[in-house]
Amino acid sequence: MEKHDDIRGLADKVCFQLNDTHPTVTVPELMRILLDEYNLEWEDAWEVTSKACAYTNHTIMSEALEKWPLELFSRLLPRIYQITEEINRRFLLKIQEKYPGDMEKVRKMAIIYDGQVKMANLAIVAGFSVNGVARLHTEILKNQELADFYQMMPKKFNNKTNGITQRRFLLHGNPKLAAWVTEKIGDGWITDLSKMDKLSVFLDDEKSQQEFMSIKYQNKVRLAEYIKNHNGIEVDPKSIFDVQVKRLHEYKRQLLNILHIMHLYNQLKKNPSMSFYPRTFIFGAKASAGYRRAKAIIKLINSVGDVINNDTSIKGKIKVVFIENYRVSNAELIFAAADVSEQISTASKEASGTGNMKFMLNGAPTLGTMDGANVEIVEEVGQENAFIFGLSSQEVIDFEHNGQYDPKNIYNMDGDIRAVLTQLIDGTYSRQDPELFRELYNSLLERDGGTPADQYFILKDFRSYEEAQKEVEKAYRNEKKWAKMAMTQVAKVGKFSSDRTIQEYVDDIWHLDKVTVR
């Protein structure tokens, strides 16, 4: 009995933070240890487990909410499956008690249903805390994706907006800017990022603006040298460095970015003398091994780059660079050099993002949708210091529910968009195989089984994105205005330190005592 009491006591001192659905087998495995090795009764084992497990949801994308085939799960993990089945049985009784006869609740909330084991449902049922990673994301979880769970157990749900470490992505990654910040406000920002707000007094100071933009230019020269050495492409550090680096996924809309570049190229070809500030578009991304369409987008980016970069008639006004093997070491060079931070996911789809924060830390204004942590970034810097476009998250959700969006209407009515899409299938960027990008073309215009055409609203947001890009160019031409915008990002980044995020986990979920190291 003393042994059992010790175990129960430990439940108040130990927390297993389930970082997305991947480690959710923790729940039945902990139950197995308590039941089989410590001989606790089910109720006691469940009390310990449900006090010791907490769940962080990192995405609403269904493919990341793991569902395992029941046959595979039960064959490979027979005892774990037995325990999971019992957890499910007991939870279904609670659903039936609270919502008698409501089989729709059972369908959505059951841990085992329709031949699948739903790991997110298991994590929610077992965890004492369920958190999202940006305020908008958490609200979408509560009101949309996990609404049934929230209605049944609202006290479990909370938000912990993601953060980044300034010690890696500024102090180490951008030493020139780090030294400048320390010269201006001291080094307290290294351990307390909120101190960055002290830079606000320098935002209108012309000397400080010039110093800041000189550092940005030096970092652009550094990245240009890296690109020349690794890609064999010469880019102009005086051009606007417009950057989108992140995982390649359709909802992140790298496709929108490259389609717009194709459109800009078409405009330049039609009117070579048009007013146009030179742009260097920089991509970095990796696609998961089996994600064919994501790999097609990477191929398109590189194919468009091959054509544009070698067209001397546009006099280097557009360059397209895809940085291979995107990773932290080259990310440091990229963030430090970026002028524009592309955060253009379909509103409601990005849980948080941390690249947006790393760009902000290094002085790149956000060009993006009101999605994920972009919402909170805009709150900090002010709408006038960001370039926001596109549908809102609620508008996207409404379109998804009512099915009233038809991208063919846009295709038929907008000649510029039609011209860009036609270039996907006429060999402009794939002379050897004109059908190479047919799947991308079809995805924008044709329904594929249960997947609607243009499910991420690329064509719907295209013109709004184009207008935002025009605003970027207009702002960049005003040197003082741009310098102030860029410096504002750094001054207002204080909220987005991982130190703050971790402290919120400590205070609200883990309830740890602070240890002072002498």
Side-chain angles (χ1 to χ4, degrees):
M1 182 59 95
E2 289 182 11
K3 188 177 182 182
H4 290 184
D5 290 339
D6 289 343
I7 293 169
R8 291 192 193 94
L10 277 174
D12 294 323
K13 299 177 181 178
V14 174
C15 180
F16 299 100
Q17 191 72 39
L18 306 180
N19 198 30
D20 226 333
T21 53
H22 319 307
T24 306
V25 171
T26 297
V27 172
E29 172 62 6
L30 180 55
M31 286 292 290
R32 184 196 66 77
I33 292 169
L34 297 173
L35 292 168
D36 297 354
E37 298 181 19
Y38 286 85
N39 300 312
L40 266 65
E41 295 296 322
W42 180 277
E43 289 77 8
D44 293 334
W46 182 250
E47 180 185 356
V48 171
T49 299
S50 57
K51 281 184 176 180
C53 292
Y55 168 49
T56 297
N57 176 283
H58 282 277
T59 179
I60 65 167
M61 305 307 291
S62 60
E63 61 265 36
L65 300 176
E66 292 181 17
K67 302 177 184 70
W68 290 100
L70 185 152
E71 186 278 329
L72 177 67
F73 195 99
S74 60
R75 178 165 49 83
L76 292 179
L77 304 169
R79 179 59 176 143
I80 292 296
Y81 175 70
Q82 280 184 333
I83 293 168
T84 303
E85 196 173 41
E86 180 63 12
I87 294 171
N88 181 61
R89 186 188 71 82
R90 290 172 181 246
F91 181 59
L92 291 181
L93 291 175
K94 289 185 177 181
I95 295 175
Q96 290 163 12
E97 180 183 343
K98 190 168 182 66
Y99 307 105
D102 192 337
M103 293 310 296
E104 185 64 10
K105 291 283 186 185
V106 171
R107 183 184 71 81
K108 290 181 178 179
M109 300 172 73
I111 296 165
I112 300 171
Y113 193 85
D114 197 24
Q116 294 181 316
V117 183
K118 300 182 178 181
M119 304 307 281
N121 292 12
L122 176 57
I124 296 165
V125 170
F128 68 87
S129 167
V130 177
N131 73 276
V133 291
R135 191 174 67 243
L136 176 63
H137 171 229
T138 298
E139 289 306 305
I140 290 171
L141 291 180
K142 287 159 56 175
N143 299 319
Q144 300 286 333
E145 301 301 316
L146 303 179
D148 295 285
F149 287 102
Y150 177 66
Q151 291 163 13
M152 186 173 181
M153 44 192 88
K155 291 182 180 179
K156 286 190 180 188
F157 284 75
N158 61 96
N159 177 61
K160 300 288 172 280
T161 297
N162 277 340
I164 57 170
T165 173
Q166 66 270 26
R167 291 171 288 280
R168 179 79 202 220
F169 292 103
L170 183 54
L171 184 64
H172 182 272
N174 192 348
K176 285 185 169 63
L177 183 58
W180 180 83
V181 171
T182 297
E183 179 189 320
K184 295 294 183 185
I185 64 170
D187 63 3
W189 63 271
I190 296 171
T191 53
D192 181 1
L193 196 60
S194 67
K195 295 252 171 60
M196 282 292 198
D197 196 49
K198 292 181 179 180
L199 288 172
S200 296
V201 297
F202 299 102
L203 295 180
D204 290 303
D205 179 63
E206 287 191 26
K207 183 173 181 291
S208 297
Q209 291 176 354
Q210 290 167 4
E211 292 168 348
F212 184 92
M213 294 307 292
S214 174
I215 291 168
K216 177 65 74 174
Y217 180 75
Q218 292 173 62
N219 286 327
K220 290 169 75 172
V221 169
R222 182 178 67 163
L223 180 59
E225 290 172 353
Y226 179 91
I227 291 169
K228 175 65 175 174
N229 292 334
H230 289 80
N231 296 76
I233 301 170
E234 289 191 12
V235 301
D236 182 1
K238 294 180 181 177
S239 65
I240 299 172
F241 277 21
D242 182 308
V243 186
Q244 186 177 20
V245 291
K246 54 183 72 252
R247 290 285 295 186
L248 201 305
H249 198 294
E250 289 167 272
Y251 82 83
K252 295 178 186 287
R253 298 204 295 190
Q254 286 93 344
L255 184 55
L256 172 60
N257 190 343
I258 195 63
L259 291 176
H260 175 256
I261 294 168
M262 292 160 62
H263 171 60
L264 288 180
Y265 180 56
N266 289 346
Q267 288 183 311
L268 271 178
K269 294 295 284 184
K270 286 180 187 175
N271 184 10
S273 61
M274 67 180 282
S275 175
F276 189 91
Y277 202 100
R279 301 283 189 98
T280 298
F281 292 97
I282 298 169
F283 295 84
K286 292 179 180 177
S288 60
Y291 197 167
R292 187 182 68 252
R293 193 171 293 170
K295 292 181 177 182
I297 294 169
I298 291 175
K299 177 64 175 174
L300 177 64
I301 292 167
N302 282 280
S303 297
V304 171
D306 287 342
V307 172
I308 292 177
N309 296 341
N310 292 296
D311 185 344
T312 57
S313 73
I314 64 168
K315 300 178 181 178
K317 290 180 180 178
I318 301 176
K319 289 290 178 75
V320 180
V321 178
F322 188 94
I323 293 179
E324 296 177 7
N325 196 17
Y326 173 61
R327 58 199 187 279
V328 171
S329 56
N330 57 25
E332 291 178 335
L333 307 180
I334 296 166
F335 293 132
D339 289 312
V340 178
S341 167
E342 293 254 8
Q343 308 298 329
I344 61 176
S345 57
T346 308
S348 81
K349 301 304 180 189
E350 186 71 79
S352 169
T354 57
N356 46 8
M357 302 169 191
K358 294 162 192 168
F359 282 112
M360 182 187 187
L361 178 68
N362 284 274
T366 297
L367 165 62
T369 53
M370 288 297 268
D371 195 28
N374 292 355
V375 175
E376 292 162 76
I377 287 173
V378 171
E379 286 179 358
E380 296 299 308
V381 302
Q383 188 106 14
E384 70 277 10
N385 291 304
F387 303 95
I388 300 304
F389 74 94
L391 297 172
S392 69
S393 59
Q394 191 57 55
E395 287 171 331
V396 168
I397 291 166
D398 289 345
F399 271 124
E400 289 175 334
H401 287 173
N402 63 37
Q404 291 180 354
Y405 169 56
D406 184 358
K408 284 186 177 177
N409 291 335
I410 296 172
Y411 176 85
N412 291 329
M413 297 295 292
D414 192 318
D416 291 336
I417 289 177
R418 188 165 61 252
V420 168
L421 265 58
T422 300
Q423 288 174 331
L424 292 175
I425 55 170
D426 68 1
T428 300
Y429 298 105
S430 55
R431 292 179 184 173
Q432 300 286 323
D433 179 9
E435 291 294 300
L436 185 61
F437 302 118
R438 170 69 67 173
E439 181 181 355
L440 297 180
Y441 176 89
N442 288 345
S443 74
L444 295 170
L445 296 173
E446 304 294 338
R447 188 176 188 87
D448 182 12
T451 303
D454 192 18
Q455 66 171 321
Y456 297 114
F457 302 93
I458 287 170
L459 303 190
K460 185 70 174 174
D461 277 352
F462 186 94
R463 285 300 188 182
S464 179
Y465 178 64
E466 180 192 26
E467 288 304 309
Q469 284 281 13
K470 288 178 180 176
E471 288 301 312
V472 168
E473 177 174 327
K474 180 180 176 183
Y476 196 83
R477 288 179 181 274
N478 184 332
E479 294 180 11
K480 290 182 181 180
K481 177 180 180 179
W482 188 269
K484 183 177 180 180
M485 285 184 71
M487 289 169 63
T488 299
Q489 312 303 312
V490 185
K492 300 302 180 182
V493 75
K495 174 180 179 177
F496 300 105
S497 173
S498 55
D499 300 335
R500 184 267 314 153
T501 307
I502 292 166
Q503 192 61 51
E504 290 181 2
Y505 277 93
V506 167
D507 294 341
D508 302 339
I509 299 176
W510 303 335
H511 304 297
L512 301 176
D513 295 326
K514 184 172 285 189
V515 176
T516 302
V517 180
R518 299 188 185 279

